[in-house]
Amino acid sequence: YHWYYQDGSEYVWEDETTPLVQDLQPGEKVSEMIAWVTAPPTDGTYTLVWDLKVGDTWASTTSSMNCFDESVRTVEVMGGRLTYTDLTKAFNIDGMSETGSVSDGDFDGKGTSFPADLAPPYATSPFTPAGSWLPSEKSGPESQRRICFRWGPKEGKAKNFISCRGQRIDFAKTSGECRVLHMLCASSGKDVAANLRLIFQEPTSESEDQYSMQVSAWDQPPAHGEQIAYLSYGRHTPQGPQPGTIALFHVSIVVKEPRKLIALKLPDMPELKIAAITLEK
């Protein structure tokens, strides 16, 4: 079998194989068999493609393949290494607008917003891989697509971004140990350098660690090593849709000592906007 990310890019081409339970003549079928399969370790929506292998050759790669050589299934992987944070109660601005009401959103304080029609969440899944449909420096298990984010609502005047004003974001009690904190964010002004306080649950009390991060402006190429997680070639303004590339970036913070992360203290920096947070254990 082969695994693919939601946008069709390859995750794993070949893993375990399961021998057919009997020899087959042309036109014969196996009505039932048990096959070994290992799911990707990170949560998300994947495509599982069953294929037939003869010797070292996969049937799907030959010029004589037919429609019965592959079986395609959509698989939702859950209970892996990722925890999608629900930021619904923390969202305090609407940074998206629909085509029919382009003045509804305001990401930058000037009435400019992301086109909601082209932004996640998509109908196929509420969780969207970072960098979907974009070129990637790494493929397979090392691709940034292995990290999915839970986006906020985008309809009407629904709030879908956090403008950082020194607030504390509490995570669910079931969040568990955190090894890497992933953020989907951008600055609505100039590039920013921010300090975050990660609050951990120790055996009997809470402890805080401070981490620094740099985030690029949403209308400029990434300048601090961030990966582009979402890209739009147009924006909405009070005057109507306008051309111009805007983006959200994938920023990762590696925790020094993996522990149970219970909260995040944001900086007082309103130009720093956060769309989603995913915890990786």
Side-chain angles (χ1 to χ4, degrees):
Y1 57 84
H2 321 294
W3 283 107
Y4 296 91
Y5 290 108
Q6 194 174 356
D7 63 355
S9 57
E10 185 180 299
Y11 173 76
V12 169
W13 173 251
E14 181 175 350
D15 204 343
E16 299 113 323
T17 56
T18 302
L20 293 175
V21 295
Q22 65 190 56
D23 291 337
L24 297 173
Q25 297 300 317
E28 281 190 298
K29 295 181 179 179
V30 173
S31 59
E32 184 175 299
M33 64 180 288
I34 296 175
W36 294 102
V37 60
T38 299
T42 50
D43 311 57
T45 302
Y46 297 84
T47 299
L48 173 64
V49 179
W50 292 102
D51 201 350
L52 180 65
K53 189 176 185 182
V54 182
D56 293 328
T57 303
W58 290 97
S60 64
T61 66
T62 66
S63 58
S64 59
M65 74 167 292
N66 62 64
C67 60
F68 300 109
D69 291 336
E70 287 186 323
S71 179
V72 181
R73 297 287 185 269
T74 298
V75 177
E76 187 74 33
V77 176
M78 300 182 293
R81 296 178 182 174
L82 304 183
T83 298
Y84 306 123
T85 304
D86 184 359
L87 299 178
T88 304
K89 296 180 180 179
F91 289 137
N92 54 11
I93 67 166
D94 178 11
M96 297 187 187
S97 59
E98 297 173 314
T99 301
S101 52
V102 295
S103 60
D104 281 353
D106 187 1
F107 182 82
D108 62 352
K110 301 175 183 177
T112 312
S113 58
F114 285 93
D117 312 70
L118 303 176
Y122 302 115
T124 52
S125 173
F127 312 116
T128 306
S132 285
W133 297 285
L134 293 174
S136 177
E137 293 181 0
K138 296 181 179 180
S139 60
E142 298 302 316
S143 170
Q144 71 160 331
R145 290 175 175 84
R146 71 184 181 82
I147 303 299
C148 288
F149 288 100
R150 175 178 178 170
W151 289 62
K154 60 182 183 179
E155 67 280 353
K157 295 182 178 294
K159 292 180 172 58
N160 37 47
F161 283 91
I162 298 173
S163 177
C164 297
R165 299 181 181 275
Q167 61 269 58
R168 169 172 163 150
I169 306 298
D170 288 294
F171 300 130
K173 295 180 180 179
T174 56
S175 61
E177 184 180 89
C178 177
R179 184 172 57 89
V180 187
L181 183 146
H182 301 273
M183 302 181 69
L184 185 63
C185 56
S187 169
S188 59
K190 297 180 179 180
D191 294 7
V192 298
N195 291 323
L196 303 176
R197 291 190 177 276
L198 276 59
I199 303 173
F200 299 93
Q201 179 64 63
E202 302 294 356
T204 58
S205 61
E206 296 181 2
S207 66
E208 291 187 8
D209 284 355
Q210 181 170 293
Y211 290 82
S212 299
M213 59 184 286
Q214 291 181 301
V215 182
S216 300
W218 72 318
D219 56 358
Q220 298 294 325
H224 307 289
E226 314 101 314
Q227 294 178 307
I228 298 176
Y230 170 72
L231 189 70
S232 173
Y233 293 103
R235 62 189 78 183
H236 285 172
T237 72
Q239 292 75 39
Q242 300 289 336
T245 303
I246 49 179
L248 293 174
F249 305 106
H250 178 186
V251 177
S252 300
I253 296 176
V254 179
V255 177
K256 302 170 186 174
E257 180 185 347
R259 287 165 287 166
K260 182 178 176 60
L261 182 63
I262 61 173
L264 177 65
K265 183 70 183 308
L266 301 175
D268 187 6
M269 192 173 287
E271 63 271 28
L272 177 58
K273 308 295 200 308
I274 299 172
I277 296 175
T278 294
L279 309 182
E280 181 181 7
K281 64 183 179 181

